[in-house]
Amino acid sequence: KVLCNFCKKDTPRHTKIVDDEALEVYICVNCFSNGEETLKHKKTNPYYILNKLNFPLYESNWTAEEELLMLEGLEKFGFGNWQDIAEHLGTDKTAEDVLNHYERVYIDTKDYLPDGEPLSKRDSQNNLIIR
């Protein structure tokens, strides 16, 4: 588990802020925006944002993390429980957004691949390039 050092909420699936001077300090976005501080962490310390799945796969307004959470939600709550799945995402996506995205990407798309150019690709050094 990765807990926010301030509110103690489990944040494994969410964006976290890591203090660059006190690397053991993890801060959820809410506590960071509230300016929370400790002896080790000051709000003026340099920081970086940790979110490894914050890039699109099929549609530019859906991240890889949201895709995975949607599929996990389908498995957990069952097909058709779009409100529960939307809440499982933990974002501003509504039940209707989830249903429409699922139908466009997983039902209506031929060969389960998006049409047109991919939204991301890799360069010769295998670095991810997002368009």
Side-chain angles (χ1 to χ4, degrees):
K1 285 188 170 185
V2 178
L3 301 178
C4 171
N5 287 82
F6 298 96
C7 67
K8 305 300 183 206
K9 288 185 181 174
D10 187 13
T11 60
R13 296 187 180 141
H14 303 287
T15 301
K16 300 170 242 338
I17 313 298
V18 181
D19 187 315
D20 208 25
E21 291 181 3
L23 295 175
E24 70 279 2
V25 176
Y26 290 92
I27 312 164
C28 72
V29 173
N30 288 337
C31 290
F32 181 78
S33 66
N34 290 335
E36 301 290 350
E37 292 187 323
T38 65
L39 291 175
K40 290 182 179 182
H41 168 74
K42 301 298 178 200
K43 60 185 172 187
T44 56
N45 287 6
Y47 64 91
Y48 62 93
I49 298 172
L50 182 63
N51 188 348
K52 295 181 180 182
L53 298 175
N54 192 20
F55 59 89
L57 287 178
Y58 300 111
E59 296 181 331
S60 61
N61 62 336
W62 276 75
T63 66
E65 180 176 33
E66 290 171 322
E67 296 286 349
L68 291 172
L69 288 169
M70 181 188 66
L71 295 173
E72 181 181 85
L74 276 165
E75 182 178 34
K76 183 175 183 177
F77 301 111
F79 188 83
N81 293 310
W82 304 113
Q83 184 60 45
D84 291 333
I85 296 166
E87 290 172 10
H88 185 68
L89 293 179
T91 66
D92 62 349
K93 302 268 190 305
T94 66
E96 185 178 358
D97 294 334
V98 176
L99 169 61
N100 291 337
H101 175 74
Y102 180 82
E103 287 178 344
R104 275 191 314 274
V105 172
Y106 297 94
I107 303 296
D108 297 338
T109 304
K110 295 178 184 176
D111 300 325
Y112 303 104
L113 295 174
D115 293 334
E117 291 292 314
L119 296 172
S120 61
K121 62 182 180 178
R122 301 236 177 225
D123 65 13
S124 60
Q125 284 86 34
N126 206 30
N127 296 312
L128 187 65
I129 300 170
I130 300 172
R131 92 167 157 119

